[in-house]
């Protein structure tokens, strides 16, 4: 039996009932008009998904959103509760969907399972510049995060903005960074993945002397020497992630660094190629962060989140 929670189809008064139900497995809910959520035995498009598929760019109002079971990005209590409920479903691996809109954009997001993997599918239609721009991306569920920006809490899936609210409940700080991606020998006899931290050139030099025979990272050494000569290590720290992929033509990109009290989260997109043939590949991902953002963060609290997208 296929079950999916339609997160846009609830009332604010019934949110607590819905929140407690998200993620449960018992089959005890009937689909009624006054139900706080909808569960379906067969895949049937929700009114919000139908609106998304048919939308031609006409202006969307809060009333339009409510009529079609969508949430309007207006920081209202009801919209925020519906969005929070969807996020909880994504975190718990529960199949769910939600449609978010502004006056000129519609974003449809679905949380689903593909085998043992939790997947987040994002589709967007944007008419803000007078012509329709379409976007579609499939990501792993761990791509979903939030960060504080200009007094707002903004939610992203990878680098794709999904929702924002004036309700700021955490200390998630956006951290500036620079990144470089290096290829290394696919024959390297090392255990992947792993992570390192270089707070000075001596840290890297020790790493290079120990592992260059396996990794063949001469290009990285040149960059590190230049960084040292420029005085970069005086006020920066470099974090490294060693990653392995089963695809030869693989791309990685760091999309965000977020500080949360005593922890630093580095989000990296792993772009799955259309051509999935090829040999194993290994990469060295470096992210350089100004030291001023790291005062309260210990090395054990550096968290790399490498999510897939295609």
């Amino acid at each position: 039996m296929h079950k999916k929670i339609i997160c846009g189809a609830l009332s604010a008064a019934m949110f607590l009932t819905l929140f407690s139900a998200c993620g449960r497995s018992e089959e005890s809910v009937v689909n009624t008009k006054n139900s706080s959520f909808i569960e379906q035995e067969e895949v049937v498009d929700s009114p919000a998904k139908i609106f998304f598929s048919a939308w031609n760019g006409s202006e969307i109002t809060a009333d339009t959103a409510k009529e079609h079971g969508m949430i309007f990005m207006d920081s209202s209590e009801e919209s925020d509760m519906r969005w929070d409920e969807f996020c909880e479903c994504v975190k718990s691996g529960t199949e769910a969907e939600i449609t978010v809109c502004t006056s000129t954009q519609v974003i449809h997001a679905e949380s689903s399972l593909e085998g043992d993997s939790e997947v987040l599918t994002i589709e967007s239609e944007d008419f803000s510049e007078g012509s329709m721009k379409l976007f579609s991306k499939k990501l792993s569920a761990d791509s979903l995060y939030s960060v504080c920006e200009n007094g707002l809490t903004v939610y992203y899936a990878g680098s794709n903005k999904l929702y924002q609210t004036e309700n700021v409940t955490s200390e998630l700080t956006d951290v500036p960074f620079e990144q470089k991606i290096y290829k290394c020998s696919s024959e390297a006899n090392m255990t992947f993945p792993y992570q390192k931290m270089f707070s000075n050139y001596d840290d890297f030099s020790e790493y290079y002397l120990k592992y260059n025979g396996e990794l063949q990272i001469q290009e990285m050494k040149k960059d590190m020497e230049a960084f040292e000569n420029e005085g970069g290590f005086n006020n920066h720290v470099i974090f490294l992630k060693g990653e392995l992929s089963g695809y030869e033509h693989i791309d990685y990109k760091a999309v965000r660094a977020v500080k949360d009290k005593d922890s630093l989260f580095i989000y990296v997109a792993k772009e799955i190629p259309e051509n999935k043939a090829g040999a194993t590949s290994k990469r060295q991902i470096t992210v350089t962060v100004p030291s001023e953002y790291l005062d309260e963060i210990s090395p054990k609290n550096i968290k790399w989140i490498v999510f897939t997208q295609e």
Side-chain angles (χ1 to χ4, degrees), residues 6 18 20 114 130 175 208 233 296:
I6 313 298
L18 173 55
S20 63
E114 292 188 0
V175 175
Y208 179 82
F233 280 109
E296 302 172 358

Side-chain angles (χ1 to χ4, degrees), residues 23-87:
R24 69 183 182 182
S25 60
E26 61 266 30
E27 300 176 4
S28 60
V29 181
V30 294
N31 181 6
T32 67
K33 186 176 296 185
N34 295 321
S35 170
S36 61
F37 63 86
I38 300 171
E39 291 193 318
Q40 300 170 314
E41 294 185 2
E42 298 180 358
V43 179
V44 177
D45 282 345
S46 64
K49 184 61 182 292
I50 294 172
F51 179 90
F52 174 86
S53 300
W55 186 54
N56 61 5
S58 58
E59 183 179 2
I60 303 171
T61 66
D63 288 339
T64 305
K66 185 175 182 180
E67 178 184 352
H68 293 88
M70 303 182 291
I71 65 171
F72 203 72
M73 202 182 303
D74 57 2
S75 288
S76 68
E77 182 179 0
E78 182 174 357
S79 292
D80 286 352
M81 287 192 299
R82 293 181 181 181
W83 176 255
D84 288 343
E85 175 250 335
F86 176 73
C87 291

Side-chain angles (χ1 to χ4, degrees), residues 129-164:
E129 297 180 359
S131 60
M132 188 67 75
K133 294 183 179 179
L134 306 178
F135 172 86
S136 179
K137 187 72 74 173
K138 182 183 292 186
L139 311 96
S140 53
D142 52 359
S143 64
L144 183 64
Y145 64 92
S146 62
V147 64
C148 294
E149 295 180 354
N150 301 317
L152 302 172
T153 299
V154 185
Y155 291 82
Y156 289 86
S159 57
N160 311 295
K161 180 179 175 181
L162 302 183
Y163 187 74
Q164 69 181 36

Side-chain angles (χ1 to χ4, degrees), residues 238-263:
I238 297 179
F239 301 100
L240 178 144
K241 178 74 168 176
E243 273 290 310
L244 176 147
S245 169
Y247 311 121
E248 182 177 3
H249 305 288
I250 192 77
D251 288 322
Y252 292 89
K253 181 181 180 181
V255 298
R256 183 79 64 167
V258 179
K259 179 181 178 181
D260 184 10
K261 298 180 181 178
D262 62 349
S263 299

Side-chain angles (χ1 to χ4, degrees), residues 65-259:
K66 185 175 182 180
E67 178 184 352
H68 293 88
M70 303 182 291
I71 65 171
F72 203 72
M73 202 182 303
D74 57 2
S75 288
S76 68
E77 182 179 0
E78 182 174 357
S79 292
D80 286 352
M81 287 192 299
R82 293 181 181 181
W83 176 255
D84 288 343
E85 175 250 335
F86 176 73
C87 291
E88 288 299 321
C89 288
V90 173
K91 291 176 183 178
S92 66
T94 303
E95 293 195 344
E97 66 178 77
I98 195 167
T99 305
V100 181
C101 59
T102 67
S103 60
T104 58
Q105 184 182 22
V106 185
I107 302 169
H108 184 78
E110 290 193 24
S111 169
S112 61
L113 295 174
E114 292 188 0
D116 295 330
S117 301
E118 298 174 19
V119 175
L120 185 59
T121 303
I122 308 298
E123 297 176 282
S124 170
E125 297 177 332
D126 189 343
F127 201 70
S128 58
E129 297 180 359
S131 60
M132 188 67 75
K133 294 183 179 179
L134 306 178
F135 172 86
S136 179
K137 187 72 74 173
K138 182 183 292 186
L139 311 96
S140 53
D142 52 359
S143 64
L144 183 64
Y145 64 92
S146 62
V147 64
C148 294
E149 295 180 354
N150 301 317
L152 302 172
T153 299
V154 185
Y155 291 82
Y156 289 86
S159 57
N160 311 295
K161 180 179 175 181
L162 302 183
Y163 187 74
Q164 69 181 36
T165 173
E166 296 175 358
N167 184 20
V168 179
T169 59
S170 63
E171 301 177 13
L172 298 167
T173 304
D174 199 14
V175 175
F177 66 90
E178 294 184 0
Q179 64 177 306
K180 288 190 176 180
I181 314 294
Y182 299 91
K183 291 184 179 181
C184 55
S185 173
S186 61
E187 304 299 324
N189 186 21
M190 295 177 60
T191 301
F192 283 76
Y194 64 88
Q195 62 188 68
K196 298 286 184 180
M197 182 181 80
F198 309 129
S199 56
N200 52 59
Y201 183 77
D202 288 342
D203 288 345
F204 170 75
S205 182
E206 181 181 342
Y207 174 76
Y208 179 82
L209 291 173
K210 187 173 182 179
Y211 296 112
N212 180 58
E214 290 287 346
L215 295 171
Q216 297 298 304
I217 49 175
Q218 292 88 346
E219 181 185 355
M220 185 189 297
K221 184 175 187 292
K222 291 180 181 178
D223 289 344
M224 291 292 182
E225 288 176 342
F227 193 66
E228 166 70 357
N229 293 335
E230 294 166 359
F233 280 109
N234 294 336
N235 48 18
H236 292 82
V237 175
I238 297 179
F239 301 100
L240 178 144
K241 178 74 168 176
E243 273 290 310
L244 176 147
S245 169
Y247 311 121
E248 182 177 3
H249 305 288
I250 192 77
D251 288 322
Y252 292 89
K253 181 181 180 181
V255 298
R256 183 79 64 167
V258 179
K259 179 181 178 181

